[in-house]
Amino acid sequence: MVQPVVADRDRTAPPAAPGPGARHLVAPGASGDWAGHAGKIAIWDGNAWYFETPLPGWQVHCLAEDEDLRFGASGWHAASGRGRGAAHLGLNAEADATDRLSLSAPSTLLNHEGEGHRLKINRAGGGDTASLLFQTGFSGGAEMGLAGEADFSFKTSADGAGWTTALRLSAEDGRASGAAVQSDPLDATPGRLLAVGGFGLGAMAAPVAADADAALTGGSFARPRHARGGHGGGSAHRRGAGRGRGRAAAP
């Protein structure tokens, strides 16, 4: 082929009514007559499709992107190296119709140009998602961002299918909720963040000591009101040392 031209490179199935000589770059995941030919040049001869297998250095012009493409070890990419105006850009990786910008590298640097640097993730509306998704083997394990609501949330998953909202920060007042926060002041679930006014000693209430002079093991205790005399209200709490004798302080 001399100066080959292709219509596009994001199709996964052949067009319904191709014209004679129609040419396309077959996208990954192709099906039907194109199955198993990803990355090849599909050409319609008027009766059937045949495929040209590209070699490193081949170039084609993609009409849909108005871009010259070059074939290399990572597949087809913009021949200019810049991809200006291109619908897809793969840097040492294969870009597709969903992941239009794809990069395979040990690390990524987004540097400043004299001052600060801001990474922006914009969504169309409040019901859409703007988030960072962390994966293992392309299966989701954690996500942070705006997930279909105004509140900012941190979510976790053990299998990529079922998700738990570990922490949600209200867009209205910044207050925290979620599986990682006490559901109420008496919630003693291990590992949860203690809410203001919550009881965080790992029990629903402090144990009561019938005799304040009895030997006590380490922990918290409360002296009964009837053992204190007078008519004062409330219970005194004291941390036992685990040795000797503990005495509850008088009000």
Side-chain angles (χ1 to χ4, degrees):
M1 291 185 292
V2 178
Q3 295 183 332
V5 175
V6 296
D8 47 47
R9 59 167 172 164
D10 56 2
R11 288 181 177 272
T12 57
R23 292 179 297 275
H24 305 267
L25 290 183
V26 181
S31 60
D33 291 341
W34 287 5
H37 295 287
K40 297 180 182 179
I41 303 173
I43 304 171
W44 179 253
D45 66 3
N47 296 301
W49 291 99
Y50 71 94
F51 303 90
E52 290 284 353
T53 301
L55 298 175
W58 278 29
Q59 288 195 183
V60 299
H61 183 78
C62 181
L63 294 175
E65 302 173 20
D66 191 23
E67 182 75 49
D68 291 333
L69 307 175
R70 179 184 293 117
F71 185 79
S74 60
W76 293 98
H77 56 84
S80 65
R82 297 189 302 271
R84 184 179 299 273
H88 307 79
L89 177 60
L91 302 177
N92 195 34
E94 185 69 34
D96 56 35
T98 299
D99 299 314
R100 299 181 186 180
L101 173 61
S102 184
L103 166 68
S104 180
S107 65
T108 301
L109 172 64
L110 301 175
N111 197 18
H112 68 87
E113 194 180 29
E115 296 182 1
H117 185 93
R118 177 180 291 177
L119 178 63
K120 302 175 183 178
I121 302 178
N122 184 51
R123 59 180 180 172
D128 300 314
T129 295
S131 68
L132 295 177
L133 178 62
F134 300 88
Q135 299 178 315
T136 300
F138 298 106
S139 176
E143 184 175 17
M144 58 186 289
L146 306 175
E149 58 183 359
D151 298 342
F152 191 92
S153 62
F154 296 83
K155 299 184 178 183
T156 59
S157 175
D159 56 9
W163 290 82
T164 298
T165 300
L167 186 64
R168 175 183 284 109
L169 303 178
S170 170
E172 189 70 25
D173 55 21
R175 293 189 178 184
S177 62
V181 182
Q182 278 185 314
S183 59
D184 58 63
L186 295 181
D187 181 0
T189 304
R192 286 187 170 172
L193 301 175
L194 183 66
V196 174
F199 187 77
L201 299 178
M204 295 300 291
V208 175
D211 182 357
D213 292 326
L216 297 173
T217 58
S220 297
F221 64 91
R223 181 181 179 186
R225 293 183 182 180
H226 63 76
R228 296 165 54 194
H231 300 285
S235 299
H237 291 74
R238 181 171 179 172
R239 174 73 65 180
R243 295 182 181 178
R245 303 165 68 86
R247 182 179 299 276

